[in-house]
Amino acid sequence: MTAAATSLSSQSDDVDVLAGALYAWCAERNIKLRSQQGLSIASIAIDLYHAGHQTQDDLLVALHECELH
Protein backbone atom coordinates (compact mmCIF):
# COMPACT_ATOMS: atom_id res chain seq x y z
CA MET A 1 0.00 0.00 0.00
CA THR A 2 1.34 3.43 -0.89
CA ALA A 3 1.75 6.22 1.62
CA ALA A 4 -1.16 8.10 0.01
CA ALA A 5 -3.42 5.04 0.20
CA THR A 6 -2.42 4.47 3.83
CA SER A 7 -3.21 8.11 4.62
CA LEU A 8 -6.62 7.89 2.94
CA SER A 9 -7.38 4.65 4.75
CA SER A 10 -6.44 6.27 8.06
CA GLN A 11 -8.64 9.28 7.33
CA SER A 12 -11.51 6.97 6.43
CA ASP A 13 -11.05 5.14 9.73
CA ASP A 14 -11.13 8.49 11.57
CA VAL A 15 -14.39 9.43 9.87
CA ASP A 16 -15.88 6.01 10.64
CA VAL A 17 -15.03 6.34 14.35
CA LEU A 18 -16.45 9.86 14.59
CA ALA A 19 -19.56 9.06 12.56
CA GLY A 20 -20.27 5.90 14.50
CA ALA A 21 -20.00 7.69 17.83
CA LEU A 22 -22.16 10.59 16.62
CA TYR A 23 -24.87 8.33 15.21
CA ALA A 24 -24.94 6.29 18.43
CA TRP A 25 -25.02 9.41 20.63
CA CYS A 26 -27.81 11.04 18.63
CA ALA A 27 -29.83 7.81 18.42
CA GLU A 28 -29.64 7.35 22.21
CA ARG A 29 -31.10 10.82 22.70
CA ASN A 30 -33.40 10.96 19.68
CA ILE A 31 -31.49 13.96 18.32
CA LYS A 32 -31.31 14.70 14.60
CA LEU A 33 -27.70 14.82 13.47
CA ARG A 34 -28.31 17.91 11.35
CA SER A 35 -29.98 19.83 14.17
CA GLN A 36 -28.19 22.54 16.12
CA GLN A 37 -27.75 20.12 19.02
CA GLY A 38 -26.38 17.45 16.66
CA LEU A 39 -23.90 19.90 15.15
CA SER A 40 -22.79 21.01 18.61
CA ILE A 41 -22.09 17.45 19.72
CA ALA A 42 -20.23 16.82 16.45
CA SER A 43 -17.91 19.71 17.27
CA ILE A 44 -17.35 18.39 20.79
CA ALA A 45 -16.72 14.88 19.43
CA ILE A 46 -14.07 16.19 17.02
CA ASP A 47 -12.33 18.02 19.87
CA LEU A 48 -12.43 14.88 22.02
CA TYR A 49 -11.08 12.81 19.13
CA HIS A 50 -8.14 15.17 18.73
CA ALA A 51 -7.61 15.04 22.50
CA GLY A 52 -6.92 11.30 22.24
CA HIS A 53 -10.29 9.52 22.38
CA GLN A 54 -9.75 7.67 19.11
CA THR A 55 -12.02 4.64 19.30
CA GLN A 56 -15.79 4.75 19.06
CA ASP A 57 -16.25 3.31 22.55
CA ASP A 58 -13.72 5.70 24.11
CA LEU A 59 -15.32 8.63 22.33
CA LEU A 60 -18.79 7.68 23.56
CA VAL A 61 -17.51 7.39 27.13
CA ALA A 62 -15.90 10.83 26.84
CA LEU A 63 -19.14 12.30 25.42
CA HIS A 64 -21.11 10.84 28.33
CA GLU A 65 -18.59 12.34 30.77
CA CYS A 66 -18.94 15.75 29.11
CA GLU A 67 -22.70 15.53 29.56
CA LEU A 68 -22.26 15.16 33.32
CA HIS A 69 -20.33 18.42 33.64
Side-chain angles (χ1 to χ4, degrees):
M1 191 179 283
T2 66
T6 302
S7 177
L8 286 176
S9 175
S10 176
Q11 290 173 354
S12 176
D13 291 344
D14 295 345
V15 171
D16 289 344
V17 167
L18 282 164
L22 284 171
Y23 290 137
W25 176 267
C26 288
E28 287 174 8
R29 287 155 184 78
N30 200 26
I31 295 170
K32 291 184 180 182
L33 193 54
R34 292 188 179 198
S35 68
Q36 186 59 44
Q37 197 173 9
L39 293 173
S40 293
I41 201 63
S43 178
I44 292 167
I46 290 168
D47 290 343
L48 289 169
Y49 185 85
H50 287 295
H53 303 280
Q54 298 190 342
T55 67
Q56 184 173 330
D57 288 340
D58 192 27
L59 195 51
L60 281 170
V61 169
L63 286 169
H64 283 105
E65 289 174 354
C66 284
E67 186 176 46
L68 297 175
H69 297 114

